[in-house]
Amino acid sequence: MASSSNQNMGALPLSFLLLNGESYDFWCVKMKTQLMSNDVWEYAQDGFEDYQGVEVALSNEQKKQLKVDNRMNAKALSMIQQGISDNLFPRIINETQAKKAWDILYNEHRGNLKVKTIKLQSLRRDYENFKMKDSELLNDYFSRLMDVVNQMKTYGEDVATQKIVEKILINLPKKFDPIVAIIENTQDLANLSVKELMGSLKTFEQRLNRQSEKSIESAFQSKLNDCRVTNNQQANYFEEQEGGGCMFYACQAASEQKNDVWFLDSGCSNHMTGDESIFVKIDTSSNSQVKMGNGALVQAKENGTIAVETKKGTRNI
């Protein structure tokens, strides 16, 4: 018979994890905590003697205790009933004791020793084959790993902290090799906590990200300084050589002819067109050669100025 000290009813939680046939191990831990916080876990764990079907004369003290036990058992049973989905409720619909309802759910989802052993072996394989993906963030890798570890623990596997630390270090991508070497040579892995390890790795990952951002920014700036054309136009690169040996660069759309559109690039000294009619001033004495993208040299016939219509009026180029 349960102790009469369990008369503190507590407040019944309004919501908690609902068991729908999956993630029983997590549900079990959370439900146990709920039952313990309401002082009724022992009714789900051990049950109580309700004397049903037993002809025995009860003393007044036993009758009082039985009344308390019935009330606390009903509270525990109610919490279990509210914690499972409607499709699972028929499994325990006829049970009047919290312990019997709890055992039914436990046996159905955790199964016998053979089933437990098979599940644990599967988790062990997942753990042994676990690796961090090259494109994966450190936090995501850690979360996936600890999910497997926690499931192993719920099935009775003792996963030591040092084993987790070593697992994390062994399966990091090559970009983490410098920090891994430092940790392995300066730290006692037997006394290194997972939290300390992850702190060092996250700091290193942040440094890698900053370096990557700088490299991308530098490459982007370099591209901006090249002679190229946007708006899905592929630019040709020209090298213009005049008699004096001076080098000039020019850009023009190559994939599509548009007589009324110029693609201007501030990185270019000269721009080219094949339409002589658009010039407002022209010099026919030009003696320039243009080196095309395929290496061929082409004679530039003329040099001059054109008028371009912009939103702010006509501009001469």
Side-chain angles (χ1 to χ4, degrees):
M1 191 174 289
S3 171
S4 60
S5 62
N6 288 327
Q7 297 186 36
N8 179 18
M9 294 296 292
L12 184 65
L14 297 178
S15 63
F16 39 76
L17 182 66
L18 188 68
L19 179 63
N20 58 8
E22 299 179 358
S23 302
Y24 170 79
D25 298 309
F26 292 157
W27 177 88
C28 181
V29 172
K30 293 185 177 183
M31 178 56 75
K32 179 180 177 180
T33 303
Q34 294 283 351
L35 293 168
M36 291 178 67
S37 68
N38 284 273
D39 292 331
V40 293
W41 163 239
E42 62 186 282
Y43 289 90
Q45 182 182 39
D46 304 321
F48 74 104
E49 179 59 66
D50 59 5
Y51 299 104
Q52 289 186 5
V54 178
E55 294 183 5
V56 60
L58 300 178
S59 65
N60 290 334
E61 187 64 28
Q62 288 176 320
K63 290 179 180 179
K64 291 180 180 179
Q65 183 61 54
L66 181 59
K67 185 176 181 180
V68 172
D69 288 339
N70 279 322
R71 185 172 70 252
M72 301 299 280
N73 170 72
K75 181 178 179 181
L77 180 60
S78 174
M79 293 177 64
I80 295 173
Q81 290 173 343
Q82 293 180 63
I84 63 176
S85 60
D86 290 343
N87 65 306
L88 291 180
F89 184 69
R91 311 281 206 284
I92 62 171
I93 193 172
N94 295 320
E95 300 304 326
T96 58
Q97 282 211 20
K99 174 176 173 52
K100 292 182 179 179
W102 182 266
D103 289 345
I104 288 174
L105 294 173
Y106 177 89
N107 291 329
E108 181 172 325
H109 292 87
R110 290 293 294 272
N112 54 31
L113 181 60
K114 181 178 179 180
V115 174
K116 178 180 177 181
T117 302
I118 293 174
K119 289 184 177 180
L120 185 55
Q121 282 295 94
S122 176
L123 290 169
R124 286 170 178 164
R125 280 195 299 271
D126 292 341
Y127 181 83
E128 291 301 322
N129 296 326
F130 203 89
K131 290 184 180 297
M132 181 176 175
K133 303 172 185 176
D134 290 337
S135 60
E136 190 173 22
L137 294 176
L138 192 62
N139 277 337
D140 295 337
Y141 163 65
F142 180 68
S143 295
R144 289 197 303 115
L145 176 62
M146 293 310 298
D147 181 52
V148 175
V149 170
N150 289 332
Q151 289 187 62
M152 292 172 66
K153 288 183 177 181
T154 61
Y155 281 98
E157 185 82 345
D158 182 16
V159 187
T161 299
Q162 182 178 350
K163 187 177 180 181
I164 299 174
V165 167
E166 293 172 349
K167 184 67 178 177
I168 293 174
L169 291 173
I170 291 174
N171 292 284
L172 291 170
K174 288 186 176 181
K175 63 183 179 181
F176 286 92
D177 283 354
I179 188 63
V180 170
I182 292 174
I183 292 174
E184 291 179 341
N185 285 284
T186 61
Q187 298 287 338
D188 180 7
L189 299 186
N191 296 316
L192 180 63
S193 70
V194 175
K195 183 178 181 180
E196 291 173 329
L197 172 63
M198 290 302 296
S200 299
L201 293 177
K202 287 179 181 178
T203 300
F204 183 78
E205 183 182 52
Q206 292 172 355
R207 185 177 296 112
L208 288 178
N209 291 337
R210 286 196 298 268
Q211 292 174 351
S212 177
E213 289 173 359
K214 289 182 180 179
S215 297
I216 293 174
E217 182 180 352
S218 177
F220 180 71
Q221 186 62 43
S222 176
K223 284 184 176 292
L224 286 179
N225 293 333
D226 290 341
C227 179
R228 63 187 182 87
V229 181
T230 57
N231 292 333
N232 297 324
Q233 302 293 327
Q234 180 180 358
N236 275 343
Y237 172 78
F238 303 92
E239 182 181 288
E240 182 182 26
Q241 183 174 7
E242 292 190 334
C246 297
M247 304 300 291
F248 298 91
Y249 303 96
C251 284
Q252 188 180 29
S255 61
E256 182 178 358
Q257 293 294 331
K258 291 186 176 180
N259 294 329
D260 59 342
V261 176
W262 277 83
F263 297 98
L264 303 183
D265 192 314
S266 60
C268 298
S269 297
N270 286 322
H271 298 279
M272 302 183 66
T273 179
D275 187 0
E276 186 177 8
S277 65
I278 65 175
F279 284 85
V280 295
K281 182 179 179 182
I282 197 163
D283 178 9
T284 59
S285 64
S286 174
N287 186 28
S288 300
Q289 282 189 328
V290 178
K291 188 175 183 180
M292 308 298 290
N294 59 4
L297 290 175
V298 178
Q299 184 69 35
K301 291 183 178 181
E302 300 165 326
N303 236 330
T305 302
I306 66 168
V308 177
E309 295 297 329
T310 71
K311 291 182 179 180
K312 295 184 178 181
T314 303
R315 294 288 184 269
N316 290 333
I317 299 177

